[in-house]
Amino acid sequence: MPVPAHHTLRHPLQSRRGTAAIEFALIGGSLVTMMLFAVDGGSVVQQAVMLNEAVHAGGFYAQSFPTDTDGIKSAVAAALPSSWTDVTPNVAESCGGPGASWTDPNCTVKLVTVTAARDYTAFGDLVTITTTSASYVARIQ
C-alpha cells in the first residue's frame, strides 16, 4: 500500500525510501574504482616483469658477445611481446676496474649494462600512469 503524500511531506527526514539505492551507488562506485586500480596495479607489475626478463635475455647474450651492441638489442627486442614497438633497449659499456675504458689495458672487469623502459598507460591508453624500467649488468672478464 503506498504511503500517502501528505505523510511523506510531513516527515521527509524520517522517510527511508531509496536508502538502499543510495548506499549501493556510493559503495558500488567505490568498489569498482578500487577494482580498476587493482587490475592496473597488477598490469604495471606484469609489464615490469616482462621488461626485466627481456633485459636479462640481452645480458645473457652480452656475456657471450659483449661487443655486439646490435645483437644485444635484438635479443632484448626478441624477448618482448611483438606489440611492444615503443621499447628501445640501451646498451652501455663501462670498466669496473681501475681503468677508464674498455680499451684501457688496466681494465680487468668490463661491464655491459642493458636497460629498457616503457610507459604504462591505463584505462584504454587514456592516461600514462608511470614508466616501468629494468636493467641488467653483465660482467665480462
Side-chain angles (χ1 to χ4, degrees):
M1 177 166 168
V3 177
H6 69 279
H7 187 282
T8 305
L9 292 176
R10 216 176 330 153
H11 305 289
L13 296 177
Q14 293 177 351
S15 175
R16 300 181 61 76
R17 298 181 72 192
T19 304
I22 293 171
E23 289 174 351
F24 179 76
L26 292 174
I27 294 172
S30 299
L31 288 175
V32 168
T33 303
M34 286 188 293
M35 190 168 36
L36 286 174
F37 279 112
V39 168
D40 274 332
S43 296
V44 168
V45 171
Q46 181 182 16
Q47 178 173 302
V49 167
M50 294 169 89
L51 274 175
N52 197 27
E53 290 174 357
V55 295
H56 274 87
F60 293 146
Y61 183 87
Q63 289 177 343
S64 299
F65 307 100
T67 57
D68 184 9
T69 304
D70 290 334
I72 296 168
K73 290 180 180 181
S74 294
V76 173
L80 291 171
S82 60
S83 62
W84 288 14
T85 57
D86 56 345
V87 177
T88 305
N90 296 310
V91 179
E93 301 169 344
S94 61
C95 184
S101 69
W102 271 44
T103 57
D104 190 336
N106 292 328
C107 181
T108 56
V109 178
K110 298 177 180 182
L111 304 175
V112 176
T113 304
V114 182
T115 59
R118 183 171 192 253
D119 288 339
Y120 179 78
T121 55
F123 307 116
D125 294 339
L126 294 177
V127 177
T128 299
I129 293 179
T130 187
T131 300
T132 56
S133 62
S135 64
Y136 183 84
V137 179
R139 182 178 173 163
I140 313 299
Q141 290 184 345

